[in-house]
Amino acid sequence: MKHKNGSFVAIDILYIAMMVLPLVFLIILKVLTKAPSEGINITGAAIYFTLPTPVQSLPITESQVNSLAVLITVFGLCLFLTHGITAKKMLIRHHVAEWVVEKVQAMVDGNMGYYFSGFAPFVTAILGLSALSSLLSLLGLYPPTSDINIVGGWALVVFVLITYYKFKCGPVQYVKSFGDPVPLLAPLNIISEIATPISMAFRHYGNVLSGSVISVLVATGLQGLSSLLFRFLPGILGEFPFLQIGLPAILSIYFDIFSGLLQAYIFAMLTMLYVANGFPADIYEKRQLKKNKKLVGGN
């Protein structure tokens, strides 16, 4: 029994290390590679190195490295929450995992219907990756969600899913759907189809990036105003940024925590709605009934 408990704890430590070490690595990498700067410094993701490819050079950026670290962290969290779960004895973390599964499953069933019940793990992954990516800013790290390339990749995956389920009724029905409700609207429907992943990406990316920019501008402005108002104080007191105490933290609660979590929820909701609404369920069921009747008649 002691050996079993020891193995259980050892595996728990391994999963905790999977959650913590990637974030520690990102912080160390940030400290070692960040160049010193003065004043306002708003830049995109840093480029660590470039890989030569036959088409063009592939830059390995801060966004890609941070995204990989987030993936490992989320994977470790999932393993930790579900490790040792049984029907007889459940720990607090097991109840947390059960609560997450129940809430996401209810959200998927309510917004997508029974046909898409298996989408719950995918939606959970979107929520986890998006939320944790945005929350990296709390550690002073570059959030991958403020890079259009990362969020654009997620939006393209959603677009592929939308198109896949629209094709469930065949290519003819897919083409005919652009003429709904009247054929004259076909050009607008085509533009709307193309604009779907673009709008999803820019909505998520724009909100996260704007929050980061506003926070930096306000913090820098408060620092300058503080030095202007309190420069008469002697010694180090005249250089201390008194006005930076409190307000930047309040802004961080909104832009880094609330807004980041809200954008993750919105992206997941749009994913569910676009995929479910793009699927012609009635036509698909009628088509399946006809196929079944043909099979029965043939037999």
Side-chain angles (χ1 to χ4, degrees):
M1 188 66 179
K2 289 183 179 180
H3 175 71
K4 184 178 179 181
N5 291 337
S7 301
F8 187 88
V9 173
I11 295 175
D12 270 355
I13 293 173
L14 175 63
Y15 292 155
I16 293 173
M18 286 181 64
M19 291 186 285
V20 176
L21 291 182
L23 303 180
V24 174
F25 169 77
L26 292 183
I27 294 172
I28 295 173
L29 186 63
K30 182 77 172 182
V31 172
L32 294 177
T33 58
K34 184 179 180 181
S37 61
E38 296 181 1
I40 300 176
N41 184 25
I42 301 174
T43 60
I47 299 177
Y48 292 130
F49 57 91
T50 303
L51 295 176
T53 62
V55 180
Q56 64 177 22
S57 298
L58 175 64
I60 304 301
T61 68
E62 194 174 6
S63 298
Q64 296 164 314
V65 175
N66 290 6
S67 294
L68 179 59
V70 169
L71 281 170
I72 297 172
T73 299
V74 171
F75 183 49
L77 177 62
C78 293
L79 293 175
F80 177 75
L81 290 178
T82 57
H83 179 221
I85 188 170
T86 60
K88 296 180 180 179
K89 184 180 180 181
M90 294 181 63
L91 304 175
I92 295 177
R93 57 181 167 176
H94 298 153
H95 289 289
V96 172
E98 185 180 35
W99 178 82
V100 171
V101 171
E102 289 177 352
K103 292 299 180 183
V104 176
Q105 189 66 60
M107 186 169 63
V108 171
D109 292 342
N111 290 284
M112 303 185 76
Y114 71 92
Y115 185 84
F116 295 95
S117 183
F119 257 66
F122 179 71
V123 174
T124 306
I126 290 177
L127 287 169
L129 290 175
S130 178
L132 187 56
S133 295
S134 298
L135 292 176
L136 284 185
S137 58
L138 293 174
L139 301 175
L141 301 171
Y142 184 83
T145 43
S146 62
D147 188 332
I148 188 63
N149 299 293
I150 299 297
V151 185
W154 299 352
L156 283 177
V157 172
V158 175
F159 180 71
V160 170
L161 287 173
I162 296 170
T163 306
Y164 169 77
Y165 281 100
K166 282 188 175 182
F167 261 96
K168 279 283 190 176
C169 294
V172 175
Q173 177 59 36
Y174 176 73
V175 174
K176 287 173 61 179
S177 66
F178 290 109
D180 187 32
V182 291
L184 290 176
L185 294 178
L188 293 177
N189 288 333
I190 293 173
I191 294 173
S192 176
E193 188 82 359
I194 298 172
T196 295
I198 298 175
S199 64
M200 289 184 68
F202 274 93
R203 180 185 289 108
H204 199 332
Y205 149 79
N207 280 283
V208 176
L209 179 63
S210 62
S212 301
V213 172
I214 291 173
S215 297
V216 172
L217 291 176
V218 170
T220 305
L222 289 174
Q223 182 181 11
L225 182 60
S226 179
S227 62
L228 180 65
L229 294 177
F230 300 103
R231 60 184 177 181
F232 65 89
L233 295 176
I236 195 173
L237 291 177
E239 301 177 1
F240 189 82
F242 290 99
L243 296 182
Q244 280 190 323
I245 300 174
L247 184 56
I250 295 173
L251 291 176
S252 178
I253 291 175
Y254 176 78
F255 288 118
D256 294 331
I257 300 178
F258 176 75
S259 181
L261 297 178
L262 179 63
Q263 293 308 314
Y265 176 76
I266 291 174
F267 194 90
M269 285 295 296
L270 290 176
T271 297
M272 291 187 289
L273 294 177
Y274 281 138
V275 173
N277 292 337
F279 175 62
D282 297 338
I283 299 174
Y284 179 76
E285 290 178 358
K286 290 178 181 178
R287 189 177 181 182
Q288 291 300 108
L289 286 174
K290 288 182 180 179
K291 286 184 177 180
N292 293 335
K293 287 181 180 179
K294 288 182 180 180
L295 290 174
V296 173
N299 294 331

